[in-house]
Amino acid sequence: MARTTEQSRRLQQRAEKLIPGGVNSPVRAFRSVGCDPLHIVRGEGSHIWDADGNQYVDYIGSWGPLILGHAAPAVIEAVIAAARNGTSFGASTPAEADLAELVISAFPHMQKVRFVSSGTEATMSAIRLARGYTQRKYIVKFEGCYHGHSDALLVKAGSGIATLGIPGSAGVPEEFTQFTLALPYNDVNAIERVFDKFKRQIACVIVEPVVGNMGCVPPSAGYLEALRVITKRDQSLLIFDEVMTGFRLAYGGAQELYGIEPDLTTMGKIIGGGLPVGAYGGPSEIMDLIAPLGPVYQAGTLSGNPLAMAAGYATLSYLREHKEIYAKLDTIAAEVVAGVAAAARSAGVTLCHNRVGSMFTWFFAKGPVSDWTSAAKSDTAAFGGFFRAMLENGIYLPPSQFEAAFLGAAHTKQDVDQTIAAAKHAFATVAA
Ligand code: KE4
């Protein structure tokens, strides 16, 4: 029976009168998948329910934070207990150092961490810190990597080896991106050339060690090692943006998985357990430049908010005590990704996929997908048809070809079977 989404439509119409596009973050508008967005009213475990009461297996998990699933009891109880003592004080609380101890213990290079309220704040602050520490202006980012919406990082990558950033958004003067160099991901020669051209002028390289924001794209063999060697040689800082991968791919994030020590790490998502938290951390020698100790300014009314600290502490405590979760997530994710890929092959649908642990993407492309140029060759219309068909069958995927899907501890074999069955049905419609 076709699912009705009448309530969601009504809620969307109201929201559009009050909020641009009816959403507080653009991807939620479902613009690239050709259907009306859903309004979600409840989540529990691996499931969410929309305003019309339709149930879905959720592969977004709030874009990564909910590795323990929706409304994980330990997280909910911790937030309620914290809320009973008040929601915010604008003063230090024991909860901040409690979470700081857990975060720092996961990353060997980290001696100090500063909490903020989003991943955007974390990366913006880490870049300011890198520029303050090195006294250099230029920064390097990569096409297809997203680090939040601060001006210097909203650049469109052009051609050429060292592309001086062209603003990728209205409202960003070119002066604000003129020191941002945007390079192709997984291209060591491009990095070598730009460090030759801008010797001793590059403050930092910021990278998603496993990219989630062009769809899931892992680093090629030796790529992260090359970034580490080249930045160290030039005394430029290597920033691993682990907002998505931190505590996701391993307890110590991608840097544990690939054995690379960056100079600074930015975090978000999982460390807040679904509440607003970002963080950046590294050695005291660098971190002590941050106000009030040093000259690099950064501040925030709700930084270290006690409820967010409680949710993050409950989440990371569980992960620290149950590290076997990562092998389990890897196994179940491998099963669902392979099952859907097999369904596509049987239906004669062109599909490739990338997966690292519990983050993955099915690309409607021949592949392989290893950078933005190859990701952009995907058939986004076919992805849209797949997305809609899966939604119709109770599977909620990220509403964009260029996003990673996430699986969490609450996903079951039954969820996997339902997903593969829905894919078989979906490919029958896409292939038709
Ligand atoms: P936030 O400001 O959205 O908390 O974090 C920005 C950010 C920084 N770094 C990485 C690697 C990220 O993936 C993100 C945000 N991720 C997106 C999902 N692709 C958030 C979803 C959204 O924009 O609504």
Short mmCIF file of all heavy atoms in Angstrom, two decimals, residues 89-133:
data_model
loop_
_atom_site.label_atom_id
_atom_site.label_comp_id
_atom_site.label_asym_id
_atom_site.label_seq_id
_atom_site.Cartn_x
_atom_site.Cartn_y
_atom_site.Cartn_z
N PHE A 89 25.25 27.25 32.27
CA PHE A 89 25.65 28.19 33.32
C PHE A 89 26.59 29.29 32.80
O PHE A 89 26.83 30.28 33.48
CB PHE A 89 26.36 27.44 34.46
CG PHE A 89 25.57 26.26 34.95
CD1 PHE A 89 26.01 24.95 34.72
CD2 PHE A 89 24.34 26.43 35.57
CE1 PHE A 89 25.28 23.85 35.13
CE2 PHE A 89 23.59 25.34 35.99
CZ PHE A 89 24.06 24.05 35.77
N GLY A 90 27.15 29.08 31.60
CA GLY A 90 28.12 30.07 31.14
C GLY A 90 29.32 30.12 32.05
O GLY A 90 30.02 31.13 32.15
N ALA A 91 29.56 29.02 32.70
CA ALA A 91 30.71 28.89 33.60
C ALA A 91 31.21 27.45 33.45
O ALA A 91 30.53 26.59 32.90
CB ALA A 91 30.27 29.14 35.05
N SER A 92 32.43 27.21 33.96
CA SER A 92 32.98 25.85 33.81
C SER A 92 32.19 24.86 34.68
O SER A 92 31.68 25.21 35.74
CB SER A 92 34.45 25.86 34.25
OG SER A 92 35.18 26.59 33.28
N THR A 93 32.11 23.65 34.18
CA THR A 93 31.45 22.57 34.91
C THR A 93 32.37 21.35 34.89
O THR A 93 33.19 21.21 33.97
CB THR A 93 30.12 22.16 34.24
OG1 THR A 93 30.47 21.60 32.95
CG2 THR A 93 29.20 23.34 34.03
N PRO A 94 32.23 20.45 35.86
CA PRO A 94 33.08 19.25 35.87
C PRO A 94 32.89 18.40 34.61
O PRO A 94 33.82 17.74 34.14
CB PRO A 94 32.61 18.49 37.12
CG PRO A 94 31.92 19.51 37.97
CD PRO A 94 31.37 20.54 37.03
N ALA A 95 31.70 18.49 34.01
CA ALA A 95 31.38 17.63 32.85
C ALA A 95 32.31 17.89 31.67
O ALA A 95 32.60 17.00 30.87
CB ALA A 95 29.92 17.85 32.44
N GLU A 96 32.79 19.13 31.56
CA GLU A 96 33.64 19.46 30.41
C GLU A 96 34.98 18.73 30.48
O GLU A 96 35.44 18.12 29.52
CB GLU A 96 33.88 20.97 30.34
CG GLU A 96 32.60 21.75 29.99
CD GLU A 96 32.59 23.15 30.55
OE1 GLU A 96 33.11 24.04 29.89
OE2 GLU A 96 32.06 23.33 31.66
N ALA A 97 35.58 18.73 31.68
CA ALA A 97 36.86 18.03 31.81
C ALA A 97 36.65 16.52 31.75
O ALA A 97 37.51 15.78 31.25
CB ALA A 97 37.54 18.43 33.11
N ASP A 98 35.47 16.08 32.22
CA ASP A 98 35.18 14.63 32.12
C ASP A 98 35.22 14.20 30.66
O ASP A 98 35.88 13.23 30.29
CB ASP A 98 33.77 14.32 32.68
CG ASP A 98 33.69 14.50 34.20
OD1 ASP A 98 34.77 14.57 34.84
OD2 ASP A 98 32.56 14.61 34.73
N LEU A 99 34.53 14.96 29.79
CA LEU A 99 34.50 14.60 28.37
C LEU A 99 35.87 14.84 27.73
O LEU A 99 36.33 14.04 26.92
CB LEU A 99 33.41 15.37 27.63
CG LEU A 99 33.21 14.96 26.17
CD1 LEU A 99 32.87 13.48 26.05
CD2 LEU A 99 32.12 15.79 25.49
N ALA A 100 36.54 15.89 28.15
CA ALA A 100 37.88 16.18 27.60
C ALA A 100 38.83 15.01 27.85
O ALA A 100 39.57 14.59 26.96
CB ALA A 100 38.44 17.46 28.21
N GLU A 101 38.77 14.43 29.05
CA GLU A 101 39.63 13.28 29.37
C GLU A 101 39.36 12.12 28.41
O GLU A 101 40.28 11.52 27.86
CB GLU A 101 39.39 12.81 30.81
CG GLU A 101 40.17 13.60 31.86
CD GLU A 101 39.80 13.22 33.29
OE1 GLU A 101 38.77 12.50 33.48
OE2 GLU A 101 40.53 13.65 34.21
N LEU A 102 38.07 11.86 28.15
CA LEU A 102 37.71 10.75 27.25
C LEU A 102 38.21 11.03 25.83
O LEU A 102 38.80 10.18 25.18
CB LEU A 102 36.18 10.57 27.22
CG LEU A 102 35.55 9.64 28.23
CD1 LEU A 102 34.07 9.45 27.90
CD2 LEU A 102 36.25 8.29 28.25
N VAL A 103 37.99 12.25 25.36
CA VAL A 103 38.38 12.58 23.98
C VAL A 103 39.90 12.50 23.84
O VAL A 103 40.42 11.83 22.94
CB VAL A 103 37.87 13.99 23.60
CG1 VAL A 103 38.51 14.48 22.32
CG2 VAL A 103 36.34 13.98 23.46
N ILE A 104 40.62 13.12 24.76
CA ILE A 104 42.09 13.16 24.66
C ILE A 104 42.68 11.75 24.73
O ILE A 104 43.62 11.42 24.01
CB ILE A 104 42.67 14.08 25.76
CG1 ILE A 104 42.33 15.55 25.45
CG2 ILE A 104 44.18 13.88 25.91
CD1 ILE A 104 42.57 16.51 26.60
N SER A 105 42.04 10.90 25.54
CA SER A 105 42.58 9.53 25.70
C SER A 105 42.48 8.74 24.39
O SER A 105 43.19 7.76 24.19
CB SER A 105 41.80 8.79 26.78
OG SER A 105 40.47 8.51 26.31
N ALA A 106 41.64 9.19 23.47
CA ALA A 106 41.46 8.43 22.22
C ALA A 106 42.49 8.82 21.16
O ALA A 106 42.63 8.12 20.15
CB ALA A 106 40.05 8.64 21.68
N PHE A 107 43.18 9.94 21.35
CA PHE A 107 44.08 10.45 20.30
C PHE A 107 45.46 10.72 20.90
O PHE A 107 45.65 11.71 21.61
CB PHE A 107 43.51 11.73 19.68
CG PHE A 107 42.16 11.56 19.05
CD1 PHE A 107 41.00 12.00 19.68
CD2 PHE A 107 42.03 10.92 17.82
CE1 PHE A 107 39.75 11.82 19.09
CE2 PHE A 107 40.79 10.72 17.24
CZ PHE A 107 39.64 11.18 17.88
N PRO A 108 46.45 9.85 20.62
CA PRO A 108 47.79 9.99 21.23
C PRO A 108 48.43 11.36 21.07
O PRO A 108 49.13 11.83 21.96
CB PRO A 108 48.61 8.92 20.50
CG PRO A 108 47.63 7.92 20.00
CD PRO A 108 46.37 8.68 19.73
N HIS A 109 48.15 12.04 19.95
CA HIS A 109 48.86 13.33 19.74
C HIS A 109 48.22 14.46 20.55
O HIS A 109 48.76 15.55 20.64
CB HIS A 109 48.83 13.69 18.24
CG HIS A 109 47.52 14.26 17.78
ND1 HIS A 109 47.24 15.60 17.78
CD2 HIS A 109 46.40 13.65 17.33
CE1 HIS A 109 46.00 15.80 17.35
NE2 HIS A 109 45.47 14.63 17.09
N MET A 110 47.07 14.19 21.13
CA MET A 110 46.26 15.26 21.73
C MET A 110 46.57 15.43 23.20
O MET A 110 46.53 14.49 23.96
CB MET A 110 44.77 14.94 21.54
CG MET A 110 43.88 16.14 21.51
SD MET A 110 42.16 15.67 21.21
CE MET A 110 42.21 15.33 19.45
N GLN A 111 46.92 16.66 23.60
CA GLN A 111 47.13 16.95 25.02
C GLN A 111 46.03 17.87 25.54
O GLN A 111 45.69 17.84 26.71
CB GLN A 111 48.50 17.60 25.22
CG GLN A 111 49.68 16.68 24.95
CD GLN A 111 51.00 17.42 25.04
OE1 GLN A 111 51.22 18.40 24.32
NE2 GLN A 111 51.88 16.96 25.91
N LYS A 112 45.49 18.71 24.64
CA LYS A 112 44.42 19.62 25.06
C LYS A 112 43.34 19.66 23.99
O LYS A 112 43.60 19.44 22.81
CB LYS A 112 44.98 21.03 25.29
CG LYS A 112 45.94 21.15 26.47
CD LYS A 112 45.66 22.40 27.30
CE LYS A 112 46.54 22.42 28.55
NZ LYS A 112 47.82 23.14 28.35
N VAL A 113 42.11 19.94 24.43
CA VAL A 113 40.98 20.03 23.51
C VAL A 113 40.11 21.21 23.92
O VAL A 113 40.04 21.55 25.11
CB VAL A 113 40.16 18.70 23.53
CG1 VAL A 113 39.51 18.49 24.89
CG2 VAL A 113 39.13 18.67 22.43
N ARG A 114 39.53 21.87 22.95
CA ARG A 114 38.57 22.94 23.22
C ARG A 114 37.23 22.57 22.61
O ARG A 114 37.17 22.20 21.44
CB ARG A 114 39.10 24.26 22.62
CG ARG A 114 38.18 25.46 22.57
CD ARG A 114 37.70 25.99 23.88
NE ARG A 114 38.71 26.57 24.76
CZ ARG A 114 39.13 27.85 24.70
NH1 ARG A 114 38.69 28.64 23.75
NH2 ARG A 114 40.01 28.31 25.59
N PHE A 115 36.16 22.63 23.42
CA PHE A 115 34.82 22.31 22.91
C PHE A 115 34.15 23.57 22.35
O PHE A 115 34.30 24.67 22.91
CB PHE A 115 33.96 21.72 24.04
CG PHE A 115 34.41 20.36 24.48
CD1 PHE A 115 34.92 20.18 25.76
CD2 PHE A 115 34.37 19.27 23.61
CE1 PHE A 115 35.37 18.92 26.17
CE2 PHE A 115 34.81 18.02 24.02
CZ PHE A 115 35.32 17.85 25.30
N VAL A 116 33.43 23.34 21.24
CA VAL A 116 32.61 24.40 20.64
C VAL A 116 31.25 23.76 20.37
O VAL A 116 30.97 22.66 20.87
CB VAL A 116 33.28 24.96 19.37
CG1 VAL A 116 34.55 25.73 19.72
CG2 VAL A 116 33.60 23.84 18.38
N SER A 117 30.41 24.42 19.54
CA SER A 117 29.04 23.89 19.40
C SER A 117 28.72 23.29 18.06
O SER A 117 27.57 22.89 17.82
CB SER A 117 28.03 25.01 19.71
OG SER A 117 28.18 25.41 21.06
N SER A 118 29.70 23.22 17.16
CA SER A 118 29.45 22.58 15.86
C SER A 118 30.78 22.22 15.20
O SER A 118 31.83 22.74 15.58
CB SER A 118 28.68 23.54 14.94
OG SER A 118 29.54 24.61 14.53
N GLY A 119 30.69 21.39 14.19
CA GLY A 119 31.89 21.04 13.43
C GLY A 119 32.44 22.25 12.68
O GLY A 119 33.66 22.42 12.55
N THR A 120 31.53 23.11 12.22
CA THR A 120 31.95 24.34 11.53
C THR A 120 32.82 25.19 12.43
O THR A 120 33.89 25.67 12.04
CB THR A 120 30.72 25.14 11.08
OG1 THR A 120 30.00 24.39 10.09
CG2 THR A 120 31.10 26.51 10.54
N GLU A 121 32.37 25.35 13.68
CA GLU A 121 33.17 26.15 14.63
C GLU A 121 34.52 25.48 14.88
O GLU A 121 35.54 26.16 15.04
CB GLU A 121 32.42 26.22 15.96
CG GLU A 121 31.52 27.40 16.16
CD GLU A 121 31.13 27.51 17.63
OE1 GLU A 121 30.22 26.78 18.06
OE2 GLU A 121 31.76 28.31 18.34
N ALA A 122 34.51 24.15 14.94
CA ALA A 122 35.76 23.43 15.22
C ALA A 122 36.79 23.65 14.13
O ALA A 122 37.94 24.00 14.40
CB ALA A 122 35.45 21.93 15.39
N THR A 123 36.36 23.51 12.87
CA THR A 123 37.33 23.65 11.76
C THR A 123 37.75 25.10 11.56
O THR A 123 38.92 25.39 11.32
CB THR A 123 36.74 23.09 10.45
OG1 THR A 123 35.54 23.82 10.15
CG2 THR A 123 36.44 21.61 10.55
N MET A 124 36.78 26.01 11.72
CA MET A 124 37.09 27.45 11.58
C MET A 124 38.14 27.86 12.62
O MET A 124 39.12 28.53 12.33
CB MET A 124 35.80 28.24 11.79
CG MET A 124 35.93 29.73 11.80
SD MET A 124 34.30 30.50 11.97
CE MET A 124 33.90 30.11 13.66
N SER A 125 37.95 27.36 13.85
CA SER A 125 38.87 27.72 14.94
C SER A 125 40.23 27.05 14.75
O SER A 125 41.28 27.66 14.99
CB SER A 125 38.26 27.29 16.29
OG SER A 125 36.94 27.78 16.41
N ALA A 126 40.23 25.81 14.29
CA ALA A 126 41.50 25.09 14.09
C ALA A 126 42.33 25.77 13.01
O ALA A 126 43.57 25.88 13.13
CB ALA A 126 41.21 23.64 13.71
N ILE A 127 41.67 26.28 11.99
CA ILE A 127 42.40 26.97 10.92
C ILE A 127 42.96 28.30 11.42
O ILE A 127 44.12 28.65 11.17
CB ILE A 127 41.49 27.17 9.69
CG1 ILE A 127 41.36 25.83 8.95
CG2 ILE A 127 42.02 28.25 8.75
CD1 ILE A 127 40.32 25.78 7.90
N ARG A 128 42.16 29.01 12.21
CA ARG A 128 42.66 30.27 12.80
C ARG A 128 43.88 29.96 13.68
O ARG A 128 44.90 30.67 13.64
CB ARG A 128 41.56 30.95 13.62
CG ARG A 128 41.95 32.30 14.16
CD ARG A 128 40.81 32.93 14.97
NE ARG A 128 39.58 32.96 14.20
CZ ARG A 128 38.39 32.61 14.71
NH1 ARG A 128 38.29 32.19 15.95
NH2 ARG A 128 37.30 32.68 13.97
N LEU A 129 43.78 28.89 14.44
CA LEU A 129 44.90 28.50 15.33
C LEU A 129 46.13 28.14 14.51
O LEU A 129 47.25 28.57 14.83
CB LEU A 129 44.47 27.31 16.19
CG LEU A 129 45.53 26.68 17.09
CD1 LEU A 129 46.12 27.71 18.06
CD2 LEU A 129 44.91 25.50 17.85
N ALA A 130 45.94 27.40 13.42
CA ALA A 130 47.08 27.02 12.57
C ALA A 130 47.74 28.25 11.98
O ALA A 130 48.97 28.36 11.92
CB ALA A 130 46.61 26.08 11.46
N ARG A 131 46.95 29.21 11.55
CA ARG A 131 47.52 30.46 11.00
C ARG A 131 48.23 31.25 12.09
O ARG A 131 49.31 31.79 11.89
CB ARG A 131 46.41 31.31 10.37
CG ARG A 131 45.96 30.79 9.00
CD ARG A 131 44.76 31.51 8.46
NE ARG A 131 44.69 31.44 7.00
CZ ARG A 131 43.55 31.55 6.31
NH1 ARG A 131 42.38 31.73 6.95
NH2 ARG A 131 43.55 31.50 4.98
N GLY A 132 47.65 31.25 13.30
CA GLY A 132 48.30 31.97 14.40
C GLY A 132 49.60 31.31 14.81
O GLY A 132 50.61 31.97 15.03
N TYR A 133 49.61 29.99 14.81
CA TYR A 133 50.80 29.25 15.27
C TYR A 133 51.94 29.36 14.25
O TYR A 133 53.09 29.56 14.61
CB TYR A 133 50.42 27.78 15.46
CG TYR A 133 51.56 26.88 15.86
CD1 TYR A 133 52.08 26.88 17.17
CD2 TYR A 133 52.16 26.03 14.93
CE1 TYR A 133 53.12 26.06 17.53
CE2 TYR A 133 53.21 25.21 15.28
CZ TYR A 133 53.70 25.22 16.57
OH TYR A 133 54.75 24.40 16.91
#
